[in-house]
Structures are given as structure tokens and as C-alpha cells.
Amino acid sequence: MFRPDSCARLSLALPTNPPPDCPLCPRLAEFRHVNQHQFPDWHNAPVDNWGDAAPRLLIVGLAPGLRGANRTGRPFTGDYAGDLLYATLKKFGLATGEFEADPNDSLQLVDTLIVNSVRCVPPQNKPTGPEIATCRRFLVATIEANRQAKAFFALGRIAHESLLSALGERRAAFPFGHGRAHRLSDGRTLIDSFHCSRYNTNTGRLTTEMFEDAMSKAKAAITAEG
């Protein structure tokens, strides 16, 4: 039986993305089925990783938004958070093309892969602790499949903590803080940022300048590693 606390020891045998009809989290599966009936033209399935095939930077988010990635099928596409994220990635040469909040636009990521801690949209955008732990196997598998990645960029405290658990690190050794850079046990770098949500930007908790400053540290980390 899979145990969430042993996820850092899982092998490459696990897939990096869940199946479209993933049943692992009953509450999320039920919510997905409700949305499939209510919005039959939407994606309404787990959202896969998206980005470069051999990334040096892994961006770790929380979960798909109901009218964002859950609708479009691509991370941070269709809701406000993607506007700031992708504009910032383009500024630092980590994306090319035009972001039009549509998975069929010309946007492409460079040296970067986006992976969510939870792959299915949760009710009220709030996954439970057990759901985060259950879905972590796909984060672990993604990390294992991308050993060439040299840095991680965590969007929010939950993503930060789930990533540390996936890496087998002690959370207390790496406290979350916006713009904070952590040197992990394996030598890789973790950069923290407040989530680029509309709430955080509207309230001033996260400004464009703050987000760009954090992203500049992530870009420097992968550049320094060659």
C-alpha cells in the first residue's frame, strides 16, 4: 500500500501524471464528475505537467483553478494568476511566444516545467491535507524523472511544504518566506514566492516587483549551474 510519508523513496516506475479518471481522492473525483456534467466542454480532469522536456527549473503550484486550468487543461491558463506568471517568465527568458490564456496560443516554456501539488481542482480551491499527500506521488515521480533540474520555485506555503516532503527534507529546516532562497541537502536551490493569485496581488501582499525579484533568483540559480 502506498504511504504518503514514504513518497520520497518512490521509483521512476510511477507515472508523472495521473490518469484522466484518477480515483485516488474521492472528494476531488466527485467534484470533477459534477463539473463534467455542469460544464461538458471543459477539461474537467487532472491537469498534466506542462513545459520544457528537459527543464532546469521546476515551478511548483498548488492546484488547478476551477475556471482556469480545470477549464483549459493547461496550468495557470484561463485565470488571473497566469497573467503575472507567464509575463514574468517571458521577461526572464523562461518563456517565448504570446500568452493568450488559451492552450492553443503560441506560448512555450524554456528550461521550465510547471507541476501542481494537487492535479485536480478542489472545491473552494482548498485541497485537504490527505489529498495533498495522496497526490504527492506524481510530484515525486516528476522530480525523479527530471534529475537534471537544478532549482525549484514554490508558489505559496502549501507548494513549498509539499515539495519539501516530496524531496524527503525536514520542513522545519527550510521555513517558507517570500523571496527566500534555500540550499537543499542535495545541493539544489529552492526559491519561495507568495502565490501569484488575484487575491495576493489585489491586496498588495504580492507586487509585480516582488514576484520578479523572486523569479530573478530562480533564473540566477539555474544559470549559475550552467
Side-chain angles (χ1 to χ4, degrees):
M1 178 181 296
F2 176 84
R3 293 178 56 196
D5 60 358
S6 68
C7 62
R9 298 187 291 275
L10 292 179
S11 72
L12 278 169
L14 278 176
T16 58
N17 293 305
D21 58 348
C22 182
L24 292 174
C25 301
R27 187 181 75 115
L28 301 189
E30 176 59 28
F31 190 53
R32 185 170 68 236
H33 295 154
V34 169
N35 289 320
Q36 286 169 347
H37 287 290
Q38 188 171 0
F39 308 107
D41 296 331
W42 289 11
H43 175 70
N44 289 320
V47 175
D48 289 349
N49 300 333
W50 182 69
D52 198 302
R56 290 187 293 167
L57 174 65
L58 295 186
I59 296 177
V60 184
L62 174 54
L66 177 61
R67 297 180 179 276
N70 178 67
R71 177 174 61 84
T72 65
R74 191 177 75 179
F76 294 94
T77 300
D79 54 17
Y80 177 82
D83 294 347
L84 178 56
L85 174 61
Y86 290 128
T88 304
L89 290 177
K90 285 188 64 176
K91 181 171 183 175
F92 288 96
L94 298 172
T96 61
E98 296 301 320
F99 174 63
E100 299 173 358
D102 185 325
N104 296 313
D105 60 24
S106 60
L107 186 72
Q108 296 292 326
L109 300 190
V110 179
D111 278 338
T112 304
L113 182 73
I114 298 176
V115 52
N116 276 323
S117 303
V118 176
R119 303 303 184 89
C120 294
V121 60
Q124 290 81 50
N125 291 320
K126 294 180 180 179
T128 66
E131 289 164 351
I132 296 168
T134 296
C135 205
R136 190 174 295 135
R137 67 191 72 190
F138 302 108
L139 176 57
V140 171
T142 298
I143 294 169
E144 288 292 308
N146 290 282
R147 292 178 177 270
Q148 78 289 336
K150 300 302 181 182
F152 305 93
F153 189 81
L155 291 170
R157 182 183 300 275
I158 293 176
H160 165 92
E161 293 179 347
S162 189
L163 174 64
L164 290 176
S165 293
L167 292 168
E169 298 279 18
R170 291 179 55 250
R171 294 181 179 181
F174 304 97
F176 176 82
H178 177 80
R180 186 170 290 172
H182 307 275
R183 191 72 167 178
L184 300 171
S185 299
D186 61 7
R188 289 183 286 185
T189 301
L190 165 60
I191 308 297
D192 290 334
S193 174
F194 293 141
H195 195 283
C196 48
S197 65
R198 182 184 293 275
Y199 176 82
N200 281 344
T201 56
N202 281 353
T203 60
R205 187 170 191 245
L206 178 68
T207 65
T208 298
E209 292 75 19
M210 290 170 62
F211 194 65
E212 290 180 351
D213 179 68
M215 189 65 73
S216 71
K217 295 176 184 178
K219 177 63 182 286
I222 65 171
T223 302
E225 296 288 350

